[in-house]
Amino acid sequence: MRSCRCAGGASAGKNARVIVDCAMYRNGRRSQAPGDLSDALDEARAAGDAFLWVGMHDPTEKEFEHVSAEFGLHPLAVEDALTAHQRPKLEVYDDSLFVVLKPVMYDDDADRVSTGELMVFIGDSFVVTVRHGEGAALAAVRQRLEQDPEVLGHGPTAVLYAVSDAVVDQYIEVAAELQADLEELEAEVFSPSSADTKNTAARIYGFKRQVLEFRRATSPLLQPMDRLALGNVPFVHEHAQPFFRDVADHLTKANEYIEGLDRLLSDALAAHLAQMGVRQNDDMRKISAWAAMAAVPTMVAGIYGMNFEHMPELTHRWGYPGVVLVMAGLCLALHRMFKRRGWL
């Protein structure tokens, strides 16, 4: 295959658009490699202390076909890597290990959470990372590893650990951002001056959807990380268990954050709905009180408006003002009673 080159820097050829970076590492240090990917892989396997790391971004089936053929990737794993929209998981095949991660990003401007997808193939002297979406770039992870040759010297396992650690650490950072947003939302819910109840409820429901999307990325990853932490996983260094245990601990912490956020959101929604019920009861009591005060003069006026000839006080000089005073007195008495009971 001459269309995909791997020389100590970025790739060239027709796959340059999707191959973000391709390099060989010897004893934890980036080194020159044959220009052809197949020759570079053969050299890495022959050296024993070297491996290739190919990073790809949104490849099509045709673009990924060359890389998958050279590394002997399993067709089912290739299909998952191209289709995307996968749950976090770990699959072991005869010639490779396939891990799916879902990085989570936080948009400060929109106050929203978005997820990407990151697939990692590990095999004999090679690592292939396939990234979908605009976020979760691995350039910083690669640069950090290249500055620590002792860690990178452990081969493909070091790449899998560094990528997993970066993804899980991002979970904790995003959870902290959501916690700050939740505190603002709680202040709005319990603010006595908050009048836009419809918008508040919509924000709570929208927040819960974000937390649900977050949980879909973190919860399924627990089992793969626990499996890596226990060891005995092919293509993973036998002494890597403590590092993956650390990642698993951080992931557990992130999941606890998310569960706490979800519980607080449920409590905030329940409190908001309870406040709405109390406000509606207050409004109904006020309406009932004013309706009762309006009913008294309406009843008296209705009686005297029936036009019967023989009715008391019809011919009395002070009959009209007397009836008006009686109606006003009754209304005043009702107003004072409702005021004392807190209805007005």
Side-chain angles (χ1 to χ4, degrees):
M1 181 183 71
R2 298 296 174 182
S3 61
C4 180
R5 305 183 63 82
C6 184
S11 58
K14 76 175 184 178
N15 279 11
R17 182 172 62 86
V18 294
I19 297 183
V20 179
D21 202 350
C22 175
M24 176 182 288
Y25 296 91
R26 297 175 184 268
N27 292 319
R29 298 186 182 278
R30 188 165 184 150
S31 64
Q32 294 293 328
D36 184 72
L37 184 60
S38 179
D39 294 340
L41 181 59
D42 291 340
E43 181 176 325
R45 288 173 173 170
D49 59 354
F51 72 95
L52 292 179
W53 181 359
V54 178
M56 307 186 73
H57 181 215
D58 283 334
T60 64
E61 182 177 357
K62 185 176 181 180
E63 292 166 337
F64 195 51
E65 180 181 356
H66 302 291
V67 175
S68 62
E70 288 296 335
F71 291 114
L73 304 180
H74 196 279
L76 292 177
V78 172
E79 181 182 355
D80 288 344
L82 291 173
T83 305
H85 303 293
Q86 303 293 319
R87 283 169 54 89
K89 62 180 180 178
L90 184 152
E91 299 285 351
V92 178
Y93 299 99
D94 293 336
D95 299 323
S96 63
L97 179 71
F98 179 57
V99 180
V100 178
L101 304 168
K102 291 186 74 69
V104 174
M105 289 72 67
Y106 182 80
D107 187 347
D108 289 324
D109 296 330
D111 291 337
R112 293 193 61 82
V113 170
S114 60
T115 58
E117 292 199 40
L118 180 61
M119 287 76 171
V120 183
F121 294 88
I122 291 182
D124 182 13
S125 302
F126 72 84
V127 178
V128 177
T129 55
V130 181
R131 181 168 59 90
H132 292 275
E134 295 300 324
L138 296 179
V141 176
R142 188 187 288 260
Q143 183 179 8
R144 186 165 60 251
L145 277 173
E146 290 178 352
Q147 294 174 354
D148 193 348
E150 183 177 354
V151 174
L152 194 55
H154 289 87
T157 301
V159 177
L160 177 59
Y161 160 71
V163 171
S164 302
D165 187 58
V167 170
V168 173
D169 285 346
Q170 186 69 16
Y171 289 163
I172 296 177
E173 294 177 8
V174 172
E177 295 284 355
L178 289 176
Q179 179 67 38
D181 287 347
L182 178 57
E183 291 175 357
E184 295 179 2
L185 185 58
E186 286 179 326
E188 179 180 333
V189 169
F190 294 103
S191 174
S193 60
S194 178
D196 194 356
T197 57
K198 183 177 179 180
N199 184 57
T200 300
R203 286 189 60 190
I204 295 175
Y205 276 113
F207 210 130
K208 285 184 72 69
R209 288 184 63 86
Q210 292 187 64
V211 172
L212 177 61
E213 185 71 18
F214 199 172
R215 176 174 286 177
R216 288 173 179 168
T218 61
S219 295
L221 188 58
L222 275 173
Q223 184 177 0
M225 287 297 109
D226 288 340
R227 188 175 175 185
L228 290 169
L230 292 174
N232 298 323
V233 177
F235 307 106
V236 177
H237 197 281
E238 58 182 358
H239 299 302
Q241 293 94 323
F243 298 96
F244 286 108
R245 278 200 298 269
D246 182 66
V247 176
D249 289 341
H250 290 175
L251 181 60
T252 300
K253 181 179 179 181
N255 275 290
E256 289 174 351
Y257 272 137
I258 297 169
E259 290 176 4
L261 288 172
D262 190 53
R263 287 195 299 269
L264 288 173
L265 279 170
S266 298
D267 293 342
L269 180 59
H272 176 66
L273 295 177
Q275 284 184 330
M276 290 181 62
V278 170
R279 290 174 184 173
Q280 288 177 349
N281 288 336
D282 289 340
D283 293 340
M284 288 302 299
R285 287 191 298 181
K286 291 178 181 178
I287 293 172
S288 299
W290 286 110
M293 288 188 289
V296 171
T298 301
M299 179 187 67
V300 176
I303 291 173
Y304 278 89
M306 290 189 293
N307 297 321
F308 288 110
E309 183 177 354
H310 301 288
M311 293 185 67
E313 309 301 335
L314 285 179
T315 59
H316 198 283
R317 176 180 293 182
W318 302 105
Y320 174 75
V323 171
V324 172
L325 288 175
V326 169
M327 290 190 295
L330 290 174
C331 291
L332 181 60
L334 288 173
H335 185 274
R336 293 185 62 182
M337 182 183 69
F338 292 138
K339 195 74 171 178
R340 284 198 305 268
R341 295 184 178 181
W343 286 35
L344 293 174

